[in-house]
Amino acid sequence: MRVPLSWLREYVDLPATETGRDVQAKLISAGLEVETVEHLGADLKGPLVVGQVLTIEELEGFKKPIRFCTVDVGQANGTGEPQEIVCGARNFSVGDKVVVVLPGATLPGGFSISARKTYGKVSHGMICSSDELGMGDDGTHGIIVLPPETEVGKDAVELLELVDEVLDIAVTANRGDCLSIRGVARETAIAYGLPLRDPALLDVPGPNAFGYPVKVSDPAGCDRFTARTVTGLSPEARSPIWLQRRLQKVGMRPISLAVDVTNYVMMELGQPLHAYDRHQVQGTIGVRRAQEGEKIVTLDGVERKLHAEDLVITDDRGPIGLAGVMGGADTEIADHDPAEEGAAATTDVIIEAAHFDQVSVARTARRHKLSSEASRRFERGVDPQAASAAAQRTVDLLVLLAGGTAEAGVTEVIAPSAPHTITLAADHPDKVAGVTYGRETVVRRLQEIGCDVYGQDELIVTVPSWRPDLTDPNDLAEEVIRLEGYENLPSTLPRPPAGRGLTGRQRLHRRIGRALAGAGYVEALNYPFVGEQVFDQLGLEADDPARRVVKLVNPLSDEEPALRTSLLPGLLAALRRNDGRGSHDLALFETGLVFQPRDAARVAANLPVDRRPSPDDIAALNAALPDQPRHVAVVLAGAREQAGWWGKGRSADWADAVEAARTVAREAGAELGIRKGQYGPWHPGRCAELTVTVDGAERVVGHAGELHPRVLKTLGLPARACAMELDLDVLERVGDTVPQAPSISTFPVATQDVALVVDAYVPAADVEAALREGAGELLESIRLFDVYENAEQLGEGRKSLAYALRFRADDRTLTVDEASAAREAAVALATDRTGAVLRG
């Protein structure tokens, strides 16, 4: 909302010394976000005067039309002689009054004017357009032509109000009242402690039986409709300069007198209005819901197919306007254009000032992708009590400026409604802010914003009609706090009890992040939003639990309306994005929450703000939220080790993804089972299933390995990319994070190697588990160091697994017989369980 300071001063007697910056600071302190203060005409320097064109000579022989003019500027040039000026514009004639800038002046942007020779003539100044004076678009795209009665030689800076300050306010969705000069003036008056001259306080005649007939069929969508009629408008009447300039300063383009007046009143009072050509309206004006499939051509010339929920204005023919959004072309105000023969200008108008339902207008505007100044205001809330005053103000201006006659008929259709009242404890704002304001301050501040307040310890507050956003006690508390000044709230840092710091869970997450970073991974933080099509791209089965998502009511993007159930979509998108930008050797990780819907949906209750929520309150809130386990995931592509003088390097493969899982498990103190698996996006032959034992039962907590080529192609990922994902919460549950000091023995280690031949389908993890159990307590470590496959030596479908076994005792040096016996016991159990045969 753009607010000219000169317009604001009409309703609030600000001190003459107050600048736009001063008002900005006051309004910001009161809770309005004033983004900028624009200084119009700050670098403008005269002389800039009104001139009258005396002669026009067309210059020939140039690529574009050029005119040599003589202009009477009175005594502004010091001589009284006509001013000779070269101009290329074509929209003015001899006798027109124009704006002339004389030599020595400076225009906006630092453009200095001096006498100069051009097109074979000497031009002593310039005839100005609105763009050259920084006035904005006036619709002509040419020279400013002033009314004939304008005095020659008059100072144009003052006439056109070129010097002003304009406050640009970012109005939040709940403060529709501040989308008007009236609303901002009210806030300014409160901030300065000055009285407000309310422009809506007008003498308005009561409704009678002579007004234009109106029928409201949907009182829920339209609870107030005021109609007034003005006849006998002069077709030649134009908007005066002061009205045009105010519209330009607030960011609107002057169009025609009738339209300009409705726009002016809307910006002044915040009540959107619409003017209909009375001769184009057929029969009774109605308000109803559209019939599915009805059509209307709106003022922008677009034919729109209506939805059954659209609220429309109708006459006997059908829809003539989208209620609260935009009028129809059939009843558009026609302006006088001398160039069009037979075109009749509008002389009789019907003024509509109505109050429409916020939700209905918002949905219609979004459904038709048609945002307007009117819809912006109705969406945020318009004062229903201002409709009759706005209609009266419009009638008064049309009578004054266009010579019209206000008909005696006044139509008002009103759905009965009671004022909204709120019961508020007098000390409630104190509890919310942690500051003692006292009853008197609370009552005074609420009365300043227009509330009627009664009661002592318990206040009965009647909310003003222009503040529909005030619905509960906390809203009223916020009003008191903001007017008393957010900057006056004390800043108190919480003091944690001694001995407390990060929780065990937080320390674990940090250790895991440091461990993965130390292993060469870079943390990537991604948005937790996904589109359901990603599950098809990842190759998940139709009944996969990961497909059950929590959908957002108000997603940031319609393409990603759900919360993630896996970290992989975000990480793989980051991998693709970085690979596409030339970073091909990548290792990324992320720890974050995933979201799983509960079987029974619950609605979360609003937590209190005047006290600390109880454990039961927090438990009830958590019970209404989806399950949110924390996962950790990594993705890899390209080279894992770079090539150089030290060697050839190597590419990342499935084993690196599995090792990342082992790294996480070590930090969590959990024993991770690794076996062959098959799931979703992973390659069926290069996928490891990761398990832990929970309460005596084995549980799958994740997968790791190389991604399926089909997934890589679908997502546009580099070849042989790998990934891993683990459920951190389960690892934390089964893990032992108590630091364990390593056992250091003074006795030597005994190493025994064993090579076992097994069927190719037997997992190496099963063989290792059998060896570990069979070797007993003397086994210190076991490591697979070779896998060999050769059909000629081993047989078809067979492979050889070679393990290095390290034995050590804490109290003695092992003999060869003891180490060999442990080795033989390990081999025997492996043979029994997996069918292994000792190679050689």
Side-chain angles (χ1 to χ4, degrees):
M1 176 68 190
R2 291 171 56 84
V3 180
L5 191 59
S6 59
W7 198 349
L8 194 63
R9 289 182 183 275
E10 281 199 9
Y11 311 127
V12 184
D13 288 327
L14 295 172
T17 56
E18 288 294 285
T19 65
R21 295 291 185 190
D22 298 327
V23 178
Q24 178 188 31
K26 285 283 188 179
L27 292 179
I28 289 176
S29 179
L32 292 184
E33 185 181 351
V34 184
E35 293 186 326
T36 60
V37 177
E38 183 180 354
H39 296 269
L40 302 181
D43 51 357
L44 179 64
K45 177 184 175 183
L48 190 72
V49 298
V50 175
Q52 184 173 22
V53 180
L54 301 178
T55 64
I56 298 177
E57 177 189 350
E58 301 289 345
L59 301 182
E60 305 292 340
F62 300 103
K63 293 182 179 179
K64 62 179 182 178
I66 297 296
R67 311 167 98 185
F68 180 65
C69 310
T70 59
V71 184
D72 178 14
V73 295
Q75 297 298 319
N77 57 5
T79 64
E81 296 294 324
Q83 201 78 5
E84 297 179 339
I85 299 174
V86 175
C87 182
R90 315 288 298 177
N91 69 312
F92 65 95
S93 306
V94 172
D96 282 345
K97 302 289 180 65
V98 294
V99 177
V100 178
V101 56
L102 300 177
T106 302
L107 294 183
F111 183 54
S112 298
I113 303 299
S114 60
R116 64 190 184 96
K117 187 173 183 179
T118 178
Y119 297 103
K121 301 285 185 178
V122 177
S123 181
H124 298 272
M126 186 168 72
I127 302 175
C128 297
S129 68
S130 59
D131 286 338
E132 290 164 340
L133 297 180
M135 295 170 56
D137 184 13
D138 63 355
T140 64
H141 303 291
I143 294 303
I144 301 170
V145 178
L146 300 172
E149 65 272 13
T150 310
E151 179 185 351
V152 173
K154 184 178 179 62
D155 183 2
V157 175
E158 179 182 351
L159 175 69
L160 300 177
E161 302 177 16
L162 297 179
V163 178
D164 202 350
E165 293 181 276
V166 179
L167 284 68
D168 193 351
I169 303 175
V171 179
T172 55
N174 66 317
R175 292 303 304 273
D177 61 304
C178 288
L179 286 174
S180 66
I181 303 297
R182 178 196 184 201
V184 177
R186 184 183 296 110
E187 292 294 319
T188 305
I190 296 172
Y192 278 91
L194 296 171
L196 170 71
R197 288 189 293 275
D198 191 344
L201 295 180
L202 302 174
D203 291 330
V204 179
N208 53 51
F210 310 109
Y212 198 91
V214 174
K215 180 182 178 181
V216 177
S217 302
D218 190 340
C222 176
D223 58 7
R224 182 180 291 264
F225 195 106
T226 300
R228 300 288 299 275
T229 304
V230 181
T231 60
L233 301 181
S234 171
E236 288 80 18
R238 293 291 176 266
S239 300
I241 293 175
W242 64 265
L243 192 149
Q244 294 187 43
R245 287 297 294 132
R246 285 193 170 178
L247 288 177
Q248 288 174 329
K249 289 177 184 179
V250 297
M252 303 190 77
R253 180 172 64 87
I255 299 173
S256 64
L257 177 58
V259 176
D260 291 350
V261 166
T262 58
N263 286 335
Y264 177 85
V265 175
M266 176 179 67
M267 302 307 297
E268 182 181 52
L269 301 182
Q271 168 66 53
L273 301 111
H274 189 69
Y276 301 94
D277 188 327
R278 181 175 181 177
H279 299 294
Q280 301 299 327
V281 179
Q282 299 180 10
T284 301
I285 292 177
V287 183
R288 61 169 171 83
R289 297 289 172 176
Q291 298 175 8
E292 191 69 38
E294 278 187 307
K295 295 181 180 180
I296 183 176
V297 178
T298 47
L299 288 175
D300 56 357
V302 177
E303 183 180 75
R304 302 182 186 276
K305 186 176 181 180
L306 301 178
H307 188 275
E309 291 185 3
D310 291 335
L311 192 68
V312 293
I313 311 298
T314 64
D315 64 3
D316 292 349
R317 296 167 297 178
I320 58 173
L322 284 173
V325 181
M326 185 174 286
D330 290 342
T331 57
E332 181 179 6
I333 298 294
D335 193 16
H336 172 70
D337 188 352
E340 290 188 29
E341 294 185 4
T346 299
T347 57
D348 301 340
V349 297
I350 302 171
I351 306 299
E352 166 208 305
H355 185 261
F356 302 110
D357 177 61
Q358 294 178 239
V359 175
S360 177
V361 172
R363 288 178 176 173
T364 297
R366 283 156 180 73
R367 189 179 295 119
H368 295 283
K369 297 180 175 60
L370 185 61
S371 179
S372 65
E373 291 290 343
S375 68
R376 287 181 62 222
R377 284 161 175 78
F378 279 121
E379 289 173 14
R380 289 161 173 80
V382 169
D383 181 5
Q385 303 294 332
S388 56
Q392 182 64 45
R393 177 73 164 139
T394 305
V395 168
D396 292 343
L397 287 173
L398 288 176
V399 170
L400 174 67
L401 302 177
T405 301
E407 289 195 353
V410 177
T411 302
E412 278 197 7
V413 180
I414 302 175
S417 61
H420 180 56
T421 60
I422 302 171
T423 301
L424 173 75
D427 62 348
H428 183 70
D430 300 3
K431 294 179 179 179
V432 174
V435 176
T436 302
Y437 293 122
R439 179 188 177 281
E440 291 185 3
T441 298
V442 171
V443 172
R444 175 171 57 85
R445 288 303 189 183
L446 293 179
Q447 289 175 339
E448 285 179 345
I449 64 172
C451 296
D452 291 330
V453 186
Y454 303 95
Q456 292 298 318
D457 294 338
E458 188 173 79
L459 306 178
I460 306 300
V461 182
T462 302
V463 175
S465 59
W466 56 82
R467 291 299 303 273
D469 59 305
L470 303 180
T471 59
D472 57 55
N474 292 328
D475 293 331
L476 299 179
E478 182 184 7
E479 292 299 300
V480 175
I481 295 168
R482 75 175 181 88
L483 294 179
E484 284 295 305
Y486 290 122
E487 68 276 10
N488 295 324
L489 292 176
S491 298
T492 305
L493 294 176
R495 294 184 179 180
R500 293 188 184 181
L502 297 177
T503 65
R505 187 183 193 198
Q506 290 170 329
R507 289 195 295 270
L508 172 61
H509 296 162
R510 291 195 178 189
R511 287 203 311 273
I512 289 172
R514 285 194 293 266
L516 290 174
Y521 292 86
V522 176
E523 187 171 16
L525 301 178
N526 299 289
Y527 287 116
F529 311 118
V530 295
E532 294 184 76
Q533 72 280 358
V534 75
F535 302 125
D536 296 326
Q537 297 169 342
L538 293 178
L540 300 185
E541 299 291 339
D543 59 348
D544 195 295
R547 285 183 176 269
R548 293 184 62 236
V549 295
V550 177
K551 291 189 176 180
L552 299 171
V553 176
N554 55 341
L556 295 180
S557 168
D558 291 338
E559 297 180 357
E560 295 180 331
L563 292 172
R564 66 188 178 191
T565 56
S566 167
L567 300 182
L568 288 184
L571 275 178
L572 293 176
L575 182 72
R576 179 181 63 248
R577 187 164 52 251
N578 282 275
D579 180 72
R581 294 175 180 176
S583 298
H584 304 301
D585 303 325
L586 297 161
L588 309 177
F589 85 94
E590 181 178 10
T591 61
L593 300 179
V594 298
F595 304 86
Q596 300 167 351
R598 297 182 187 269
D599 294 332
R602 300 183 184 179
V603 178
N606 291 328
L607 293 180
V609 296
D610 59 343
R611 59 178 174 82
R612 179 184 177 87
S614 68
D616 291 340
D617 291 335
I618 297 176
L621 177 64
N622 289 333
L625 298 176
D627 288 328
Q628 301 177 52
R630 183 173 289 271
H631 282 201
V632 58
V634 306
V635 294
L636 306 99
R640 187 68 176 129
E641 295 178 3
Q642 294 291 338
W645 59 266
W646 53 84
K648 295 181 179 180
R650 68 176 184 84
S651 299
D653 60 17
W654 62 268
D656 294 300
V658 174
E659 182 57 31
R662 289 195 177 101
T663 299
V664 172
R666 279 195 298 269
E667 292 298 328
E671 185 175 346
L672 192 66
I674 301 173
R675 65 188 182 201
K676 183 178 179 180
Q678 183 174 347
Y679 177 71
W682 279 277
H683 191 296
R686 303 187 183 101
C687 174
E689 191 174 71
L690 310 175
T691 65
V692 295
T693 300
V694 182
D695 299 330
E698 191 175 61
R699 177 172 171 181
V700 177
V701 292
H703 295 82
E706 185 178 315
L707 295 174
H708 198 289
R710 182 172 59 250
V711 173
L712 300 179
K713 182 179 180 180
T714 301
L715 295 178
L717 300 172
R720 310 301 292 270
C722 304
M724 178 278 294
E725 185 167 14
L726 271 174
D727 189 328
L728 262 185
D729 284 357
V730 178
L731 286 183
E732 180 186 6
R733 177 180 169 187
V734 303
D736 182 6
T737 58
V738 177
Q740 300 290 331
S743 177
I744 301 175
S745 175
T746 59
F747 299 97
V749 66
T751 302
Q752 296 273 354
D753 293 344
V754 58
L756 300 176
V757 179
V758 296
D759 291 331
Y761 63 82
V762 176
D766 291 351
V767 178
E768 180 179 324
L771 290 173
R772 187 182 299 277
E773 182 178 342
E777 296 181 354
L778 294 179
L779 181 66
E780 182 179 77
S781 67
I782 180 172
R783 179 175 60 88
L784 175 66
F785 66 86
D786 184 53
V787 179
Y788 177 68
E789 295 181 5
N790 188 311
E792 295 181 1
Q793 297 184 15
L794 304 178
E796 191 69 33
R798 305 279 282 175
K799 64 182 177 182
S800 171
L801 305 175
Y803 295 89
L805 287 69
R806 292 167 58 92
F807 300 97
R808 196 193 307 259
D810 293 335
D811 56 350
R812 68 188 186 281
T813 299
L814 293 178
T815 65
V816 174
D817 292 339
E818 288 177 312
S820 298
R823 173 182 178 275
E824 290 170 2
V827 171
L829 187 59
T831 299
D832 182 56
R833 289 189 177 175
T834 65
V837 177
L838 194 62
R839 183 179 173 189

